[in-house]
Amino acid sequence: DQQVKQNSPSLSVQEGRISILNCDYTNSMFDYFLWYKKYPAEGPTFLISISSIKDKNEDGRFTVFLNKSAKHLSLHIVPSQPGDSAVYFCAATRGGNKLTFGTGTQLKVEL
Amino acid sequence: EPEVTQTPSHQVTQMGQEVILRCVPISNHLYFYWYRQILGQKVEFLVSFYNNEISEKSEIFDDQFSVERPDGSNFTLKIRSTKLEDSAMYFCATTTGEETQYFGPGTRLLVL
């Protein structure tokens, strides 16, 4: 069951630059998308979300873009900071029910 | 800021033994979920719970699993007879009913 995919298992970015994390989905019934950040041995921490009726949502350094026709969303982090180094999970839901997660992207922000 | 809490943080058990994982939801949250993450894999949905009933369960959530909210505060996941493949991080998540779910820190379960 690969309804939500994150094709890049890892990403390395220099401090101060932009980090772009990508996510694709196959189920057109999904109507809400979320990004979670996860450190080792901790639970996922909610970062930012977007409804399917929007194409962009911004919160401080974090912006999520949604392209419904391509079934693609991305998370932009600008500027990237060393504390952003973590695993980022994309998740999708329909009608506020269970979350379907992607496999995650390990982001490393280097000094 | 209110948080979801989970106990224990780690649990080691022998195959065939029963384990109970506990979660204390954020106080005004009414919808509860259990997820698990096997090492190196993605976070998977197990079960959702609302109004003292299971709302939805995955194919992973077989007869060996059960959930309840025994005292109006704790939300528990019981595995009756653990198997080696039950070794994973188990996460509780809660929400008011909105789409955003808030996760606890997880319980690392190791079945030997």
Side-chain angles (χ1 to χ4, degrees):
Chain A
D1 179 5
Q2 290 283 315
Q3 294 189 71
V4 179
K5 299 181 208 178
Q6 293 175 257
N7 291 319
S8 298
S10 64
L11 175 68
S12 188
V13 170
Q14 280 199 317
E15 182 182 11
R17 306 294 289 266
I18 184 171
S19 295
I20 300 176
L21 297 100
N22 294 302
C23 177
D24 297 292
Y25 63 96
T26 56
N27 188 343
S28 57
M29 301 301 290
F30 288 139
D31 57 11
Y32 203 83
F33 304 90
L34 307 94
W35 284 94
Y36 285 86
K37 176 179 176 180
K38 188 180 180 304
Y39 294 113
E42 293 185 12
T45 301
F46 170 70
L47 205 53
I48 193 169
S49 59
I50 188 166
S51 163
S52 61
I53 61 172
K54 296 187 175 181
D55 55 18
K56 178 182 173 181
N57 187 27
E58 192 171 352
D59 183 3
R61 296 187 297 115
F62 303 92
T63 303
V64 56
F65 295 92
L66 175 63
N67 182 334
K68 278 186 67 177
S69 61
K71 294 193 179 68
H72 176 85
L73 61 154
S74 61
L75 173 67
H76 292 211
I77 306 173
V78 182
S80 301
Q81 299 173 353
D84 296 330
S85 297
V87 178
Y88 288 77
F89 289 97
C90 168
T93 183
R94 175 189 174 188
N97 294 310
K98 66 181 181 185
L99 296 178
T100 300
F101 281 85
T103 49
T105 297
Q106 172 79 58
L107 173 66
K108 185 176 179 183
V109 179
E110 298 172 320
L111 296 171
Chain B
E1 186 175 323
E3 291 180 337
V4 178
T5 60
Q6 289 185 243
T7 55
S9 58
H10 294 80
Q11 174 98 44
V12 181
T13 189
Q14 296 292 323
M15 191 170 55
Q17 295 296 303
E18 175 184 285
V19 295
I20 297 176
L21 310 183
R22 291 182 171 80
C23 168
V24 178
I26 295 172
S27 63
N28 62 335
H29 287 195
L30 301 175
Y31 295 79
F32 314 118
Y33 301 81
W34 284 101
Y35 294 83
R36 78 174 184 189
Q37 185 182 29
I38 294 171
L39 189 63
Q41 298 185 23
K42 62 181 177 179
V43 178
E44 301 175 286
F45 166 77
L46 292 178
V47 66
S48 58
F49 190 84
Y50 169 70
N51 201 25
N52 283 320
E53 288 184 348
I54 290 175
S55 311
E56 186 178 358
K57 58 184 180 180
S58 71
E59 58 189 26
I60 302 167
F61 194 89
D62 62 21
D63 291 345
Q64 293 301 312
F65 291 87
S66 63
V67 288
E68 63 175 357
R69 200 165 181 225
D71 56 11
S73 60
N74 286 288
F75 175 51
T76 63
L77 174 69
K78 182 192 289 186
I79 309 175
R80 263 180 273 279
S81 177
T82 49
K83 307 185 192 77
L84 296 176
E85 54 265 37
D86 293 329
S87 296
M89 281 288 289
Y90 287 81
F91 297 107
C92 172
T94 75
T95 177
T96 57
E98 296 178 348
E99 292 85 355
T100 302
Q101 295 180 19
Y102 295 89
F103 284 76
T107 293
R108 181 174 296 281
L109 176 65
L110 179 60
V111 182
L112 302 176

